[in-house]
Amino acid sequence: MTNVIIHGCNGKMGHTILDLLKDDEEITVVAGVDTFDEGKNSFPVFSDIRQCDVRGDVVIDFSVAPAVDGLLEYCVKEHTPCVLCTTGLCKEQLTKVEEASKEVAILKSANMSLGINMLMKLLKDAAAILAPAGFDIEIVEKHHRLKVDAPSGTALALGDAVNEALNGEYEYVYDRSERRQQRPKKEIGFSAVRGGTIVGDHDVIFAGADEVITFSHRAYSKAVFGKGAIQAAKFLKGKPAGLYDMSHVIG
């Protein structure tokens, strides 16, 4: 049995995880953390994780960037592993994540979906074959109208997976509107679409002479991210200090 603390328990993803865990016999939620306490939870809820006096095996975090500093402080102090799902961290916070991982196990991934992380593995193989054969690489991502960052962290992670297989030789291009020249061979172009309630669509396009190969992933609900986080929590329990990602979970 894995005892879990949900950091951001009353947010949208917190509710999603709690719904998924109703039928999971391998995990018990022992505490939650949220600035807003609905008073409906069957476990104690604290406004700040540093106030939490309930021990857990793992913290699952879907909160906001300003809360991550306190989260890392708590996890190091209590030696509690953390599945860190909050995005939009600044460079200073990313440095703190790396420092904390020297003391406690932390799993951080740009996207918690098992499908996206499997796609990253496939892209490395595809890029190693197709790029040397002259295929151009483009990434198109689509998200709901409320998303403020572009391109998405997932799109960048997909680009990183491709570039890793190409020895980091490719340049990332986000805007061609001011450029009047042919497309260089060694670039990865990113395009972002924002509209409606799109949960998350990603297409990685390999465009060659007379043929196009497209790798696509569609998220139809936020549940895919919750399922991945739950799998990650089960994996992280009892792990030694270190910085992990979803590639460790899927093997």
Side-chain angles (χ1 to χ4, degrees):
M1 180 65 67
T2 301
N3 293 326
V4 171
I5 298 171
I6 308 296
H7 192 239
C9 62
N10 290 328
K12 290 182 179 180
M13 280 307 305
H15 284 152
T16 297
I17 290 174
L18 292 174
D19 285 341
L20 291 170
L21 290 179
K22 288 179 181 178
D23 299 320
D24 195 316
E25 298 179 353
E26 299 178 1
I27 285 187
T28 297
V29 179
V30 294
V33 179
D34 207 293
T35 54
F36 174 64
D37 185 359
E38 298 177 325
K40 300 178 181 179
N41 302 106
S42 60
F43 47 81
V45 177
F46 303 88
S47 60
D48 189 306
I49 195 165
R50 289 168 290 193
Q51 300 171 356
C52 180
D53 58 5
V54 179
R55 291 290 299 170
D57 297 314
V58 184
V59 176
I60 296 179
D61 165 69
F62 274 104
S63 59
V64 292
V68 169
D69 291 341
L71 170 64
L72 294 174
E73 177 185 322
Y74 169 88
C75 290
V76 169
K77 180 181 178 182
E78 301 296 333
H79 298 286
T80 305
C82 177
V83 179
L84 182 61
C85 305
T86 295
T87 59
L89 304 184
C90 65
K91 290 183 179 180
E92 291 78 7
Q93 287 179 306
L94 293 175
T95 298
K96 289 181 180 179
V97 171
E98 293 183 3
E99 290 299 316
S101 70
K102 297 175 183 178
E103 305 292 332
V104 66
I106 295 180
L107 190 148
K108 182 182 182 301
S109 181
N111 189 302
M112 299 306 297
S113 159
L114 294 175
I116 281 288
N117 284 278
M118 179 59 71
L119 176 58
M120 290 181 187
K121 294 182 66 174
L122 297 174
L123 287 174
K124 292 178 182 179
D125 291 338
I129 296 171
L130 298 175
F135 282 69
D136 297 319
I137 306 164
E138 296 285 315
I139 298 177
V140 180
E141 56 97 344
K142 305 173 186 177
H143 283 85
H144 53 85
R145 64 183 302 275
L146 300 178
K147 187 171 179 61
V148 296
D149 57 314
S152 68
T154 298
L156 291 171
L158 294 172
D160 289 344
V162 169
N163 212 8
E164 181 181 332
L166 303 176
N167 300 315
E169 297 177 357
Y170 278 56
E171 177 187 1
Y172 294 175
V173 176
Y174 310 108
D175 180 17
R176 297 190 177 101
S177 63
E178 300 299 323
R179 191 172 72 184
R180 295 293 183 270
Q181 66 183 55
Q182 290 185 357
R183 185 190 196 282
K185 290 183 178 180
K186 292 188 175 183
E187 76 173 27
I188 300 175
F190 291 82
S191 300
V193 175
R194 296 291 176 268
T197 59
I198 302 171
V199 175
D201 292 359
H202 293 85
D203 294 316
V204 182
I205 303 165
F206 292 87
D210 303 319
E211 60 180 334
V212 176
I213 300 172
T214 301
F215 291 82
S216 299
H217 181 272
R218 304 283 181 269
Y220 293 103
S221 79
K222 293 181 180 295
V224 297
F225 311 124
K227 291 176 182 177
I230 291 169
Q231 289 298 112
K234 294 176 181 178
F235 164 84
L236 206 60
K237 177 185 176 181
K239 288 293 187 295
L243 188 57
Y244 300 82
D245 58 34
M246 288 299 288
S247 68
H248 296 99
V249 178
I250 63 177

